């Protein structure tokens, strides 16, 4: 079988493990196609790599005749076929890389000449990699798309993403949970059913894949599907394993910026105090400096006017390049700065890493372009410094009136936050609490040896790791809050995270800030019909698509990173979106320039990475008794606390509840010191109970001593199990096995249960316990938490009784 030409009508579906064993011969796409039930995929012929190599050369007439005979069954079914590569060793990351060719025999027969030409194109597209080939019936799709539970989608295998595309390149995405779906019968076609949503139709397919096809393996699967003539068809299965291809960002070496040299220069100069006050990017860094970390690379200033006035002076060019070499040597970064006192101009020209000659050329070219665009050269300057390497980067939203800082972070260079997935944290700077919303980050943006930005794939097993450590999260949240308080305004601050200082120490560097812009909550919007915009050319289709789809939205994914920093391009996007109120979807952070620029233009902008949570915690209801000084402490943390003082008659139930809460804290305490602290809280609640009951504590202690003298205390740990009339078999003491649960929920009848108070003492905090009401088809899940009991009600299927 490993070297045979295979025809689907002659082969029963094979298992996933059998298909994996065939990959060296038929490639992953061809091998996994053999797993799909025959009613679920169009008929196909599969040529192994050895056969394709033979056919692509100068095959004999006999070999050609054998190849044509192998696809006769396919041609008998349809006059349209598609030839697809199945490259040996390709992965899910190679999707769309290699060519597929459709052949139609409606006007003239599909001959060997046509197949041979198509075969050569396919082999050429693989760039020398060995490949098998699939020849499959081609069905014209009315819709097509993907359905997968790959790691990008979710940490769990039961969460799937369904994308539905049409011939005009628009698409929709949905999430599908397949945990409660049953696998469909593989003996029947995947026929579309009226009244069944697309998500619920695909749910059973996901259940079949998880529970039948790849059961027992860690593999995730992505399916490619088509809808043709009221039937769905699976045409490709890609597997995703937690491979070790790619970078582990935690292990990247981070180069320190060099110790600055005291070198005298005339054109590129160290800014004076007046320069810092004049140029916005210099003033920004001065405003961001704090006492916690003052070590940053030295900044230099080059006036655009100086470059413009000497644009035809070759001696000036030589002097300027010499100064670039003397000061920096390599990895030169240049940013354009405007005057202070005006609204900050976003996305002004800036470079990647440059050599001295490239820095010179860039300055001359940029000054000419700025002048041609009508820029006032007197009001522009270049800020020059060495490249700052960092393991990660972040934008932080802070407001002096709000103790919660929001952080968006990712690995590598901060430009990636404009258009890539990111992690999200909310930090209460007063309490130092962190709420985490990590995301799947498949790539990292790094600087190459030649200075160009490049994307590198992140290892699958690392992609969901948080890009910032807890220490860094707390530090940049606290320092950002301090900066915002000092400057007295809400702001967004950009950070380089985990940089290496010349002395080997790690540093987090605040690098830029802007006024905080508004981010809208678009929860509850209708499912959009998305259209991917990768450049200017795609914008031409927006108007015609809007006339067809009332829920059209732009999915902004430019091919070039620079387009996200191009205000002209963002203006062109806005001009297409605003007249018809078409929202723009961004994968990047809402704290970055692209979001701000589009919103400033008047667009409705929806960041795909926004989480389903309140950005700032507004109201949290407690309804619990607290110590008298707690409201003042909350106020010190810049939160508003609503309190009410209740009379003694109402206070008693709250004290009882507080007593139970503090007793549970005693049980959870791990060290002697913690137990002392928690027992002190119990004692304080007891004093509150005594005072509310209008008695003296000394009286209570006296009565307690009399009771102990009469009946004893609780030192022995005697548990009363039951009482009965005495018999010869009765004993006084029973030995109970160590694992016996003494405080169980007691079932009285089918619908009645008793919960002993000791249940609270035995129950583990956060661990659910379930009561099942079989007659009602309901289960009640009780979860004990520190200050409350959570009750969840779930319905479960009732087994019907059948009488025969």
């Amino acid at each position: 079988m490993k070297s045979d030409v295979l025809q689907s009508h002659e082969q029963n579906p094979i298992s996933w493990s059998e298909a994996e064993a065939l990959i060296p011969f038929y490639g992953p796409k061809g091998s996994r196609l053999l797993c799909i039930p025959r009613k679920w995929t169009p008929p196909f012929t599969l040529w192994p790599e050895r056969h394709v190599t033979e056919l692509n050369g100068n095959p004999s007439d006999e070999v050609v005749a054998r190849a044509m005979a192998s696809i006769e069954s396919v041609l008998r079914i349809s006059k349209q076929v598609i030839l697809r590569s199945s490259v040996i060793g390709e992965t899910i990351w190679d999707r769309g890389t290699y060519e597929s060719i459709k052949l139609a025999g409606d006007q003239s027969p599909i001959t060997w000449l046509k197949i041979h030409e198509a075969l050569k194109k396919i082999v050429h597209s693989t760039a020398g990699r060995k490949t098998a080939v699939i020849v499959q019936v081609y069905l014209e799709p009315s819709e097509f798309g993907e359905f997968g539970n790959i790691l990008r989608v979710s940490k769990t295998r039961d969460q799937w993403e369904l994308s539905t595309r049409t011939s005009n390149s628009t698409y929709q995405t949905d999430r599908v949970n397949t945990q409660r779906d049953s696998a469909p019968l593989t003996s029947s076609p995947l026929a579309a059913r009226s009244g069944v949503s697309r998500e619920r139709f695909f749910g059973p397919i996901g259940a079949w894949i998880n529970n039948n096809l790849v059961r027992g393996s860690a593999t995730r699967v992505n399916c490619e599907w088509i809808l043709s003539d009221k039937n769905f068809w699976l045409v490709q299965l890609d597997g995703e394993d937690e491979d070790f291809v790619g970078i582990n960002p935690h292990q990247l070496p981070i180069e320190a910026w060099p110790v600055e040299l005291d070198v005298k220069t005339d054109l590129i100069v160290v800014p004076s105090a007046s320069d810092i006050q004049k140029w916005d990017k210099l003033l920004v860094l001065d405003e961001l400096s704090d006492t916690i970390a003052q070590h940053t690379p030295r900044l230099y200033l080059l006036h655009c006017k100086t470059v413009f006035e000497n644009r035809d002076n070759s001696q000036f060019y030589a002097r300027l390049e010499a100064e670039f070499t003397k000061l920096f040597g390599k990895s030169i970064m240049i940013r354009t700065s405007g005057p202070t006192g005006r609204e900050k101009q976003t996305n002004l020209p800036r470079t990647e890493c440059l050599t001295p000659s490239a820095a010179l050329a860039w300055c001359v070219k940029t000054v000419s372009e700025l002048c041609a665009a009508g820029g006032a050269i007197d009001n522009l300057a270049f800020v020059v410094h060495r490249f700052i390497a960092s393991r990660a980067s972040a934008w932080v939203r802070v407001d002096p009136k709000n103790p919660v800082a929001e952080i968006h972070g990712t690995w590598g260079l901060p430009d990636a936050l404009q258009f890539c997935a990111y992690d999200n944290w909310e930090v209460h700077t007063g309490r130092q609490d962190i709420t985490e919303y990590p995301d799947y980050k498949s790539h990292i943006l790094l600087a190459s040896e030649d200075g160009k930005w490049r994307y590198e794939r992140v290892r699958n097993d690392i992609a969901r790791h948080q890009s910032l450590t807890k220490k860094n999260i707390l530090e940049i949240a606290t320092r950002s809050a301090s900066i915002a308080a000092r400057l007295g305004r809400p702001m967004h601050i950009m950070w380089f995270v985990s940089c290496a200082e010349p002395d080997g120490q790690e540093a987090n560097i605040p690098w830029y800030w802007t006024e905080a812009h508004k981010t809208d909550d678009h929860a509850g919007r209708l499912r959009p019909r998305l259209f991917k915009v990768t450049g200017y050319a795609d914008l031409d289709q927006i108007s015609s698509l809007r006339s067809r789809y009332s829920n059209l939205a732009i999915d902004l994914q430019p091919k070039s990173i620079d387009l996200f920093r191009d205000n002209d391009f963002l203006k062109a996007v806005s001009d297409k979106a605003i007249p018809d109120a078409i929202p723009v979807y961004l994968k990047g952070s809402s704290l970055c320039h692209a979001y701000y620029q589009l919103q400033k233009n008047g667009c409705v902008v929806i960041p795909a990475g926004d989480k389903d949570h309140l950005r700032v915690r507004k109201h949290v209801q407690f309804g619990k008794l607290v110590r008298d000084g707690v409201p003042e402490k909350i106020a010190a943390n810049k939160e508003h606390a609503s309190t009410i003082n209740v009379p003694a008659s109402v206070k008693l139930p709250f004290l009882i509840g507080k007593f139970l809460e503090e007793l549970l804290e005693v049980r959870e305490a791990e060290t002697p010191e913690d137990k002392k602290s928690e027992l002190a809280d119990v004692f304080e609640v007891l004093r509150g109970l005594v005072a509310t009951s209008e008695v003296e504590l000394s009286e209570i202690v006296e009565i307690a001593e009399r009771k102990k003298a009469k009946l004893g205390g609780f030192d022995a740990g005697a548990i009363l199990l039951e009482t009965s009339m005495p018999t010869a078999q009765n004993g006084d003491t029973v030995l109970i096995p160590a694992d016996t649960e003494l405080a169980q929920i007691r079932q009285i009848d089918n619908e009645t249960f008793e919960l002993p108070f000791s249940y609270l003492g035995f129950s583990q905090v956060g661990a659910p316990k379930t009561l099942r009401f079989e007659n009602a088809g309901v289960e009640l899940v009780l979860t004990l938490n520190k200050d409350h009991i959570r009750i969840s009600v779930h319905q479960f299927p009732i087994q019907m009784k059948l009488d025969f």
Side-chain angles (χ1 to χ4, degrees):
M1 182 178 181
K2 293 179 179 179
S3 60
D4 295 340
V5 173
L6 303 180
Q7 295 175 281
S8 59
H9 70 281
E10 296 178 351
Q11 303 290 328
N12 291 322
I14 63 176
S15 69
W16 187 265
S17 59
E18 290 174 316
E20 297 298 284
L22 294 178
I23 286 177
F25 308 96
Y26 298 97
K29 283 188 290 198
S31 298
R32 290 163 182 162
L33 202 61
L34 293 168
C35 297
I36 302 175
R38 296 298 173 255
K39 296 282 187 177
W40 294 7
T41 191
F44 61 90
T45 289
L46 186 58
W47 291 340
E49 178 272 327
R50 179 191 60 78
H51 194 59
V52 170
T53 301
E54 189 177 23
L55 290 171
N56 190 51
N58 294 307
S60 64
D61 292 343
E62 181 183 354
V63 171
V64 170
R66 190 166 67 246
M68 290 302 293
S70 72
I71 62 170
E72 280 185 6
S73 60
V74 177
L75 295 173
R76 279 198 297 268
I77 296 169
S78 173
K79 297 302 181 184
Q80 294 190 93
V81 296
I82 184 168
L83 276 69
R84 297 190 289 140
S85 64
S86 181
V87 176
I88 312 301
E90 70 176 305
T91 70
I92 197 169
W93 299 93
D94 296 318
R95 281 179 299 172
T97 303
Y98 309 112
E99 192 161 0
S100 296
I101 298 176
K102 182 180 71 170
L103 297 177
D106 298 334
Q107 303 299 323
S108 60
I110 297 177
T111 62
W112 166 248
L113 180 61
K114 292 181 179 180
I115 290 177
H116 196 227
E117 289 176 353
L119 191 62
K120 284 187 173 295
K121 290 179 180 178
I122 289 172
V123 172
H124 178 74
S125 75
T126 66
R129 298 184 68 178
K130 295 180 178 180
T131 184
V133 166
I134 305 161
V135 184
Q136 191 167 28
V137 166
Y138 178 80
L139 301 174
E140 192 67 41
S142 56
E143 291 180 356
F144 59 96
E146 298 181 12
F147 178 61
N149 66 347
I150 55 179
L151 290 165
R152 172 187 60 80
V153 173
S154 174
K155 292 184 292 186
T156 63
R157 290 159 52 89
D158 290 318
Q159 293 289 341
W160 295 67
E161 183 178 81
L162 171 66
S163 69
T164 303
R165 300 176 181 273
T166 56
S167 57
N168 56 24
S169 299
T170 63
Y171 64 97
Q172 288 181 308
T173 59
D174 296 282
R175 288 298 180 100
V176 183
N177 188 317
T178 65
Q179 190 172 20
R180 296 181 179 272
D181 286 302
S182 300
L185 295 174
T186 58
S187 57
S188 300
L190 297 173
R193 302 193 300 269
S194 61
V196 177
S197 69
R198 188 62 54 85
E199 304 95 284
R200 291 279 52 86
F201 180 86
F202 275 88
I205 299 174
W208 174 79
I209 291 172
N210 276 345
N211 298 319
N212 297 78
L213 183 60
V214 296
R215 182 174 61 188
S217 76
T219 301
R220 306 293 188 94
V221 175
N222 193 76
C223 314
E224 293 186 16
W225 59 269
I226 63 171
L227 174 62
S228 180
D229 194 24
K230 298 182 180 181
N231 276 352
F232 288 91
W233 304 87
L234 303 185
V235 295
Q236 185 168 319
L237 296 181
D238 290 302
E240 181 190 46
D241 294 303
E242 291 195 7
D243 56 50
F244 296 99
V245 176
I247 283 178
N248 180 348
H250 304 300
Q251 298 174 346
L252 282 174
I254 304 300
E255 182 180 0
W257 63 85
V259 176
E260 305 294 345
L261 302 175
D262 291 325
V263 177
K264 181 174 176 55
T265 52
D266 298 318
L267 303 175
I268 308 172
V269 297
V270 175
S272 65
S274 60
D275 287 330
I276 291 173
Q277 296 301 313
K278 179 178 180 180
W279 300 107
D280 61 359
K281 286 184 171 58
L282 296 178
L283 181 60
V284 159
L285 275 174
D286 185 65
E287 291 169 331
L288 289 175
S289 64
D290 52 37
T291 57
I292 300 175
Q294 297 178 345
H295 303 291
T296 56
R298 182 179 295 175
L299 302 184
Y300 295 84
L301 190 65
L302 172 62
H303 292 278
C304 291
K305 181 179 179 181
T306 303
V307 178
F308 182 74
E309 290 175 344
N310 291 276
R311 62 191 181 279
D312 297 323
N313 186 338
S314 59
Q315 292 183 345
F316 169 80
Y317 286 1
R319 287 174 55 206
L320 184 56
E321 183 175 350
E323 290 194 6
F324 275 125
T325 303
K326 189 184 299 183
L327 288 171
F328 308 106
K330 63 174 185 176
S331 300
I332 303 168
M333 294 289 298
I334 308 175
R335 298 187 296 154
T336 307
S337 182
T340 59
R342 303 182 184 180
E343 181 182 2
K344 288 186 176 68
Q345 301 178 65
T346 60
N347 295 338
L348 285 172
R350 66 100 179 94
T351 71
E352 298 175 359
C353 296
L354 301 177
T355 61
S357 60
L360 168 65
W362 185 89
C363 289
V364 174
K365 176 176 177 290
T366 302
V367 164
S368 299
E369 291 174 349
L370 290 170
C371 185
I377 298 300
D378 289 352
N379 289 330
L380 293 171
F382 294 132
V383 175
V384 190
H385 60 88
R386 280 293 300 264
F387 171 70
I388 303 173
S390 65
R391 191 175 310 282
S393 50
W395 275 92
V396 186
R397 180 206 305 274
V398 279
D399 184 339
K401 297 179 180 179
N402 192 330
V404 177
E406 182 175 10
I407 303 176
H408 295 175
T410 192
W411 290 304
L413 298 172
D415 278 67
L417 282 164
Q418 300 258 32
F419 44 83
C420 288
Y422 54 89
D423 298 321
N424 191 321
W425 300 272
E426 288 179 346
V427 183
H428 193 294
T429 54
R431 297 194 307 267
Q432 298 285 279
D433 288 341
I434 303 173
T435 305
E436 305 166 349
Y437 303 91
D439 207 342
Y440 181 87
K441 302 168 294 300
S442 61
H443 287 76
I444 182 173
L445 183 61
L446 299 170
S448 300
E449 288 294 326
D450 61 2
K452 299 297 183 183
W453 292 173
R454 76 182 193 277
Y455 274 98
E456 290 281 352
R457 182 185 156 195
V458 173
R459 269 174 37 188
N460 255 354
D461 60 325
I462 304 294
R464 282 198 181 274
H465 284 201
Q466 296 189 55
S467 51
L468 274 59
T469 65
K470 182 178 179 180
K471 177 183 176 183
N472 285 334
I473 293 167
L474 290 174
E475 179 186 327
I476 66 176
T478 303
R479 289 174 60 189
S480 295
S482 175
I483 292 168
R486 173 161 49 81
L487 299 181
R489 66 190 73 188
M491 57 202 311
H492 295 168
I493 304 175
M494 191 192 88
W495 288 77
F496 291 108
V497 183
S498 295
C499 304
E501 294 186 297
D503 61 2
Q505 299 297 311
E506 182 178 289
N508 299 320
I509 302 175
W511 191 247
Y512 189 72
W513 76 265
T514 63
E515 300 281 354
H517 56 256
K518 180 183 177 184
T519 55
D520 298 319
D521 181 9
H522 299 285
R525 290 185 63 89
L526 294 177
R527 291 168 53 231
R529 170 72 62 172
L530 293 165
F531 175 70
K532 184 186 293 186
V533 171
T534 61
Y536 282 98
D538 296 324
L539 295 174
D540 297 336
Q541 302 181 54
I542 297 294
S543 298
S544 60
L545 291 172
R546 181 63 180 84
S547 63
R548 294 186 58 183
Y549 303 110
S550 60
N551 61 340
L552 183 69
I554 293 173
D555 181 10
L556 194 58
Q557 297 188 42
K559 290 182 179 179
S560 170
I561 297 173
D562 291 335
L563 285 177
F564 267 107
R565 299 188 57 86
D566 185 340
N567 286 343
D568 291 336
F569 173 69
L570 297 177
K571 179 65 166 56
V573 173
S574 305
D575 290 344
K576 287 292 185 179
I578 293 170
D580 293 316
I582 300 172
V584 179
Y585 276 71
L586 283 179
K587 288 187 176 179
S589 165
S590 58
L591 306 184
C592 288
H593 297 313
Y595 181 99
Y596 166 72
Q597 196 67 43
L598 288 164
Q599 191 186 62
K600 178 183 174 184
N601 292 342
C603 289
V604 174
V605 191
I606 303 175
D610 272 9
K611 305 303 177 187
D612 295 330
H613 67 283
L614 292 176
R615 289 189 172 280
V616 178
R617 195 183 75 193
K618 296 182 181 293
H619 301 286
V620 178
Q621 296 181 345
F622 289 98
K624 60 186 285 186
L625 190 70
V626 295
R627 288 179 178 266
D628 298 337
V630 168
E632 183 178 342
K633 183 178 179 181
I634 293 173
N637 284 335
K638 301 178 183 178
E639 287 191 68
H640 174 70
S642 297
T643 61
I644 184 173
N645 294 328
V646 297
S649 59
V650 179
K651 188 170 26 172
L652 185 60
F654 285 100
L655 281 164
I656 293 171
K658 190 69 176 178
F659 198 64
L660 292 172
E661 176 187 339
E662 297 299 348
L663 287 171
L664 287 173
E665 294 282 1
V666 172
R667 190 190 65 178
E668 298 299 313
E670 295 181 354
T671 67
E673 290 303 314
D674 289 342
K675 287 188 182 294
K676 291 177 187 178
S677 176
E678 299 303 340
L679 284 168
D681 290 338
V682 170
F683 187 71
E684 191 58 46
V685 178
L686 177 61
R687 284 203 285 210
L689 283 165
V690 169
T692 300
S693 302
E694 298 183 348
V695 296
E696 294 295 330
L697 183 60
S698 58
E699 296 179 68
I700 304 302
V701 173
E702 183 181 341
I703 294 170
E705 290 295 336
R706 288 202 304 267
K707 284 190 172 185
K708 182 175 182 180
K710 183 178 179 180
L711 297 173
F714 298 99
D715 301 327
I719 305 298
L720 180 63
L721 298 178
E722 62 180 27
T723 61
S724 63
M725 297 301 291
T727 66
Q729 286 76 30
N730 284 135
D732 295 328
T733 304
V734 179
L735 295 178
I736 302 296
D739 59 351
T740 300
E741 188 172 358
L742 298 176
Q744 298 184 14
I745 299 173
R746 296 188 291 268
Q747 183 170 358
I748 306 304
D749 54 42
N750 285 339
E751 297 182 353
T752 307
F753 291 79
E754 287 184 353
L755 184 69
F757 291 128
S758 54
Y759 168 85
L760 301 177
F762 278 93
S763 294
Q764 182 181 352
V765 173
K769 289 195 174 184
T770 303
L771 310 178
R772 290 180 66 88
F773 297 87
E774 299 288 350
N775 289 350
V778 171
E779 63 183 20
L780 195 68
V781 181
L782 301 180
T783 306
L784 177 68
N785 291 305
K786 288 185 177 180
D787 60 353
H788 64 277
I789 297 177
R790 174 170 293 177
I791 302 174
S792 302
V793 180
H794 304 285
Q795 290 187 332
F796 55 86
I798 302 173
Q799 179 64 48
M800 297 181 63
K801 295 181 179 179
L802 302 179
D803 296 324
F804 295 97

